[in-house]
């Protein structure tokens, strides 16, 4: 939650501005009118926002509390309308989660994913954005090209990647005898890295756009000053561009972590339900398998809670790391 | 370094663009060359899978050998085959209903909420705003299990469009975008309308919305790709093949129906093309209105 602070700060500023703008101007009759108006507007405001608040309660707050509740009970799926007791079991679901070797494997897989995905995403999207930021021909074309995978459904892209990286696929035919054996997606060492590459490729366009927007805010005079001091292009990139877009980098890292925590369709579809020996099982995939396929929603709920805590801790650490030196 | 190999490319833009505003580019043609090389390599890496998808879907027999990257013997039989296996039309209708439902809810309720958060004062506004930001940070998949229990088991909304739409009904990013846009509009405009005695709904409809067209367009594009591409939730909610959106039916084709057609890879790629086409087409159509600044304001304000 702490990672929200920069956002909340900006929001606070914005709210303060509107507050000042609509404040009564001081002259008496006007002030009265403003308050009367204010009262109706207050009721209208609450009315306008009610559907959204109901939505937030129904789709976020209730399920979140419900997860916590399920995670400390023995919980069974029931048909609509019927009820079975769900006895309190304390932390036993959590004990099951922590002693299950597959859970450990799933979190290790996410670690592998992050180690590959985060640096690759940050470097590639920053380099591409920096190149795109110059006055360059075919800019719109390049931007569209990078954005295409982001807007395309994972399921469609997974189909192509399976075709490209299958045992008889295009890439293996290109590599000939250098092709890995077992092939990319069914190899226990390569399954998870392949997912990390796939996701990096699919999401990169979004991060390029994010960096591109952030680059607009880096002052031109900083580059000029650096040039006067005799800094070359590469030196300028590292001492002006990189620090200049640091807030965006923090955001990119946190988004990448959230994407990692959300992984489901890629391991499920790209590596056939989690790869050989759970080599690419993700926590969410495991939640699906344990909770819905095997009927242990209580285990899955506890796993979900552990995952949320994991995401928060990692996001916090990442934020500390990327903002160091600011 | 790579400058030697890329000189032809370097000369072209440098010679074509004697831009006096950018003396550095003229002085350092290799810098521009590096830029174009990086961008072009990137573009190939990003576009090749799409090219391969289209070419592969149009071949009679689709194999992974190198010659298959060249179009040849074009036929639409893969499209017929995948249509026979998963009934594309029905799946597309389901995807369409789910997406339109989400779009309508987001536009109607999201604009109302965005306007209230930007222009109206009411108790709890700060709390609503904070929750909106928080929601964007919660990994949604984590809520799928309790949502599944509630929606499918408790409310009995499995295989039901309302059940499919519910978790995405109001897109928080879109609400945030609307709020940012209404916040930027000149306050005096709203005050004037209020002095004329216009109600807030009327002001929103007649004054604010016409000016917010770019924000509405961006929000629609952002909202569209979510439900259209979503896999996990409709996969959980729909067991009946007649109710499944295309992403779900294509995934089930991918994992267990491929044996039923003669050119399975081609059929799969044909389905992928059909699934990808609407989002890609919309994006290309509205690309000009869809700038990086919108995304930036959408995620951090």
């Amino acid at each position: 939650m702490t990672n929200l602070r920069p956002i909340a700060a900006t929001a606070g500023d914005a709210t303060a501005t509107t507050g000042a703008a609509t404040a009564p101007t001081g002259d008496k009759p006007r002030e009265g009118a403003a308050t009367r108006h204010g009262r109706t507007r207050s009721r209208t405001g609450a009315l306008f926002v009610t559907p959204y608040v109901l939505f937030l309660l129904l789709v976020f707050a209730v399920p979140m509390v419900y997860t916590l509740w399920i995670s400390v009970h023995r919980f069974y799926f029931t048909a609509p309308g019927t009820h079975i007791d769900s006895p309190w079991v304390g932390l036993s679901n959590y004990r099951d989660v922590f002693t299950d070797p597959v859970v450990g494997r799933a979190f290790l897989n996410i670690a592998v994913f992050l180690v590959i995905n985060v640096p690759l995403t940050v470097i590639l999207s920053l380099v591409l954005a920096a190149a795109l930021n110059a006055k360059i021909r075919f800019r719109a074309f390049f931007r569209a090209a990078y954005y295409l995978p982001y807007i395309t459904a994972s399921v469609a892209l997974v189909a192509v990647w399976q075709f490209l990286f299958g045992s008889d696929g295009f890439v293996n035919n290109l590599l000939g005898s250098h092709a890995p054996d077992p092939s990319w997606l069914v190899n226990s060492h390569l399954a998870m890295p392949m997912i990390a590459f796939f996701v990096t490729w699919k999401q990169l366009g979004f991060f390029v756009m994010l960096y591109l927007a952030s680059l607009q805010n880096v002052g031109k005079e900083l580059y000029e000053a650096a040039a006067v001091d005799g800094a070359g292009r590469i030196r300028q990139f590292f001492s002006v561009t990189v620090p200049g877009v640091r807030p965006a980098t923090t955001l990119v890292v946190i988004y990448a972590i959230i994407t990692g925590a959300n992984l489901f369709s890629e391991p499920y579809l790209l590596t056939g339900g989690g790869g050989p020996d759970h080599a690419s099982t993700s926590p969410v995939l495991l939640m699906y398998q344990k909770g819905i396929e095997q009927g242990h929603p209580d285990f899955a709920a506890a796993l979900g809670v552990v995952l949320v805590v994991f995401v928060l801790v990692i996001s916090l650490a990442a934020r500390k790391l990327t903002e160091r030196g600011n | 370094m790579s400058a030697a190999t890329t000189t032809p490319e370097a000369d072209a833009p440098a010679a074509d663009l004697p831009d006096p505003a950018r003396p550095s580019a003229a002085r350092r043609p290799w810098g521009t060359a590096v830029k174009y090389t990086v961008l072009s390599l990137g573009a190939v890496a990003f576009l090749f899978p799409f090219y391969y998808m289209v070419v592969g879907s149009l071949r009679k027999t689709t194999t992974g050998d190198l010659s298959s990257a060249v179009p040849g013997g074009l036929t639409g039989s893969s499209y017929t085959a995948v249509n026979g296996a998963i009934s594309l039309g029905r799946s597309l209708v389901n995807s369409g209903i789910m997406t339109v439902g989400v779009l309508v809810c987001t536009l109607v309720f999201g604009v109302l909420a965005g306007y209230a958060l930007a222009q109206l004062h009411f108790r709890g506004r700060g709390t609503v705003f904070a929750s909106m930001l928080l929601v964007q940070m919660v990994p949604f998949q984590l809520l799928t299990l309790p949502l599944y229990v509630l929606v499918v088991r408790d409310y009995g909304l499995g295989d039901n469009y309302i059940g499919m739409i519910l978790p995405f009904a109001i897109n928080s990013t879109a609400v945030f975008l609307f709020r940012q846009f209404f916040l930027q509009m000149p306050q005096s405009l709203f005050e004037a309308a209020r002095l004329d005695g216009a109600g807030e709904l009327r002001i929103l409809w007649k004054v604010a919305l016409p000016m917010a067209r770019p924000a509405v367009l961006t929000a629609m594009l952002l909202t569209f790709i979510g439900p259209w591409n979503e896999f996990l939730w409709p996969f959980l909610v729909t067991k009946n093949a007649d109710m499944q959106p295309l992403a779900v039916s294509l995934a089930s084709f991918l994992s267990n129906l491929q044996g039923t057609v003669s050119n399975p890879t081609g059929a799969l790629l044909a389905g992928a093309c059909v699934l990808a086409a609407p989002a890609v087409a919309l994006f290309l159509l509205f690309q000009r209105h869809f700038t990086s600044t919108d995304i930036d304001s959408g995620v951090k304000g």
Side-chain angles (χ1 to χ4, degrees):
Chain A
M1 293 323 96
T2 333
N3 56 38
L4 285 176
R5 223 177 271 149
I7 306 173
T10 344
D13 293 346
T15 320
T17 329
T18 23
T22 48
T25 35
D27 119 49
K28 268 265 144 72
R30 271 248 190 116
E31 199 176 275
T35 5
R36 203 182 60 240
H37 268 286
R39 217 171 297 128
T40 24
R41 274 164 66 194
S42 163
R43 232 178 295 136
T44 321
L47 201 70
F48 279 11
V49 93
T50 304
Y52 182 56
V53 170
L54 284 178
F55 169 78
L56 290 180
L57 285 176
L58 211 68
V59 174
F60 289 91
V62 170
M64 225 153 15
V65 175
Y66 200 29
T67 317
L68 284 173
W69 190 88
I70 293 176
S71 76
V72 288
H73 290 79
R74 180 69 57 228
F75 191 87
Y76 306 95
F77 282 137
T78 53
T82 52
H83 282 284
I84 317 180
D85 277 344
S86 306
W88 160 270
V89 291
L91 295 180
S92 95
N93 289 322
Y94 288 90
R95 199 172 50 233
D96 293 347
V97 165
F98 281 111
T99 48
D100 190 324
V102 182
V103 172
R105 180 73 220 208
F107 277 92
L108 188 73
N109 287 337
I110 289 300
V112 171
F113 173 88
L114 290 177
V115 164
I116 297 173
N117 174 267
V118 171
L120 211 59
T121 301
V122 169
I123 294 168
L124 288 180
S125 50
L126 186 52
V127 167
L128 286 176
L132 264 183
N133 196 37
K135 278 203 194 95
I136 221 157
R137 289 176 148 207
F138 313 118
R139 225 177 125 172
F141 163 76
F142 286 123
R143 256 184 29 184
Y146 302 146
Y147 213 60
L148 273 192
Y150 178 69
I151 57 164
T152 306
S154 275
V155 176
L157 296 176
V158 157
V160 191
W161 273 59
Q162 275 211 332
F163 182 35
L164 282 171
F165 289 93
S167 349
D168 279 332
F170 184 81
V171 174
N172 279 358
N173 279 318
L174 205 66
L175 291 176
S177 56
H178 299 288
D181 181 39
S183 186
W184 306 94
L185 301 170
V186 286
N187 185 316
S188 59
H189 298 292
L190 293 174
M192 201 59 210
M194 282 306 288
I195 288 174
F197 285 126
F198 174 83
V199 173
T200 309
W201 174 77
K202 182 173 179 355
Q203 307 280 42
L204 206 66
F206 175 75
F207 296 120
V208 169
M209 295 286 246
L210 234 154
Y211 268 129
L212 212 50
S214 178
L215 282 171
Q216 316 280 315
N217 300 329
V218 182
K220 295 266 181 298
E221 65 282 356
L222 286 176
Y223 287 101
E224 279 155 23
V228 167
D229 288 346
R233 280 279 175 89
I234 291 168
R235 186 69 206 274
Q236 282 178 31
F237 178 79
F238 282 105
S239 31
V240 180
T241 308
V242 172
V245 297
R246 193 167 272 153
T249 304
T250 308
L251 214 69
V252 169
V253 172
I254 287 169
Y255 267 85
I257 292 168
I258 291 176
T259 310
N262 271 315
L263 270 188
F264 172 78
S265 359
E266 291 79 11
Y268 183 75
L269 294 171
L270 193 62
T271 58
D277 291 329
H278 303 287
S280 64
T281 296
S282 69
V284 175
L285 177 60
L286 201 56
M287 280 171 73
Y288 165 74
Q289 287 169 334
K290 288 276 185 183
I292 289 162
E293 281 185 350
Q294 298 163 24
H296 297 295
D298 38 12
F299 179 96
L303 177 56
V305 174
V306 173
L307 184 56
V308 172
V309 174
F310 174 81
V311 170
L312 282 179
V313 170
I314 301 259
S315 306
L316 223 89
R319 201 175 108 89
K320 281 255 152 40
L321 218 69
T322 48
E323 293 203 334
R324 201 175 46 187
N326 243 13
Chain B
M1 27 174 263
S2 65
T5 51
T6 52
T7 350
E9 271 182 271
D11 289 337
D16 287 359
L17 288 171
D19 188 351
R22 293 182 64 249
S24 61
R27 235 186 293 125
R28 270 191 267 224
W30 63 267
T32 320
V34 168
K35 245 172 228 159
Y36 275 102
T37 312
V38 167
L39 287 174
S40 306
L41 282 177
V44 169
F46 278 88
L47 292 179
F48 183 72
F50 285 89
Y51 166 79
Y52 210 53
M53 176 164 95
V54 175
V55 170
S57 77
L58 290 170
R59 293 179 69 91
K60 199 173 219 91
T61 44
T62 311
T63 56
D65 62 51
L66 300 180
S67 64
S68 66
V70 190
L74 300 185
T75 164
S77 62
S78 292
Y79 288 84
T80 332
V82 74
N83 187 30
I86 58 174
S87 84
L88 282 181
R90 179 76 212 180
S91 306
L92 277 171
V93 168
N94 293 334
S95 290
I97 292 176
M98 179 178 169
T99 308
V100 169
V102 171
L103 269 179
V104 168
C105 289
T106 294
L107 285 182
V108 174
F109 301 124
V111 163
L112 284 174
Y115 179 74
L117 286 170
Q119 294 291 343
L120 303 171
H121 297 264
F122 54 92
R123 273 177 65 186
R125 187 173 79 159
T127 319
V128 176
F129 185 73
S131 335
M132 177 178 72
L133 295 175
L134 201 73
V135 158
Q136 297 183 62
M137 287 289 161
V138 175
F140 174 75
Q141 323 284 59
L142 304 180
L143 302 176
T144 42
L145 186 95
L147 269 174
Y148 172 78
V149 176
L150 287 169
V151 171
V152 178
R153 305 278 168 165
D154 293 356
Y155 307 152
L157 288 175
D159 283 322
N160 182 306
Y161 291 120
I162 297 173
M164 282 156 73
I165 293 169
L166 187 69
F168 310 103
I170 308 179
N171 183 323
S172 286
T173 312
V175 178
F176 189 77
L177 214 73
F178 290 138
R179 175 191 174 271
Q180 293 303 98
F181 216 83
F182 291 137
L183 212 55
Q184 287 163 16
M185 290 181 184
Q187 200 63 40
S188 50
L189 233 107
F190 296 105
E191 291 303 329
R194 276 176 200 130
L195 285 179
D196 286 346
E200 293 301 331
L201 207 58
R202 205 181 144 80
I203 298 177
L204 173 58
W205 185 247
K206 292 277 181 190
V207 180
L209 259 190
M211 292 198 301
R213 209 165 275 155
V216 171
L217 210 64
T218 306
M220 279 176 80
L221 276 178
L222 276 177
T223 311
F224 177 88
I225 59 171
W228 186 268
N229 296 342
E230 175 65 23
F231 170 63
L232 175 56
W233 180 252
F235 169 70
L236 292 181
V237 175
T238 55
K239 290 293 159 242
N240 181 351
D242 281 344
M243 287 299 291
Q244 288 174 343
L246 186 52
V248 179
S249 25
L250 192 63
S252 79
F253 181 80
L254 176 88
S255 36
N256 47 35
L257 286 172
Q258 288 202 54
T260 61
V261 296
S262 57
N263 181 15
T265 311
L268 182 63
L269 293 178
C273 284
V274 176
L275 176 58
V280 171
L282 264 185
F283 169 69
L284 293 178
L285 216 61
F286 292 107
Q287 215 215 123
R288 278 182 302 122
H289 306 278
F290 191 58
T291 64
S292 51
T293 342
D294 289 332
I295 294 183
D296 190 46
S297 64
V299 292
K300 77 166 208 261

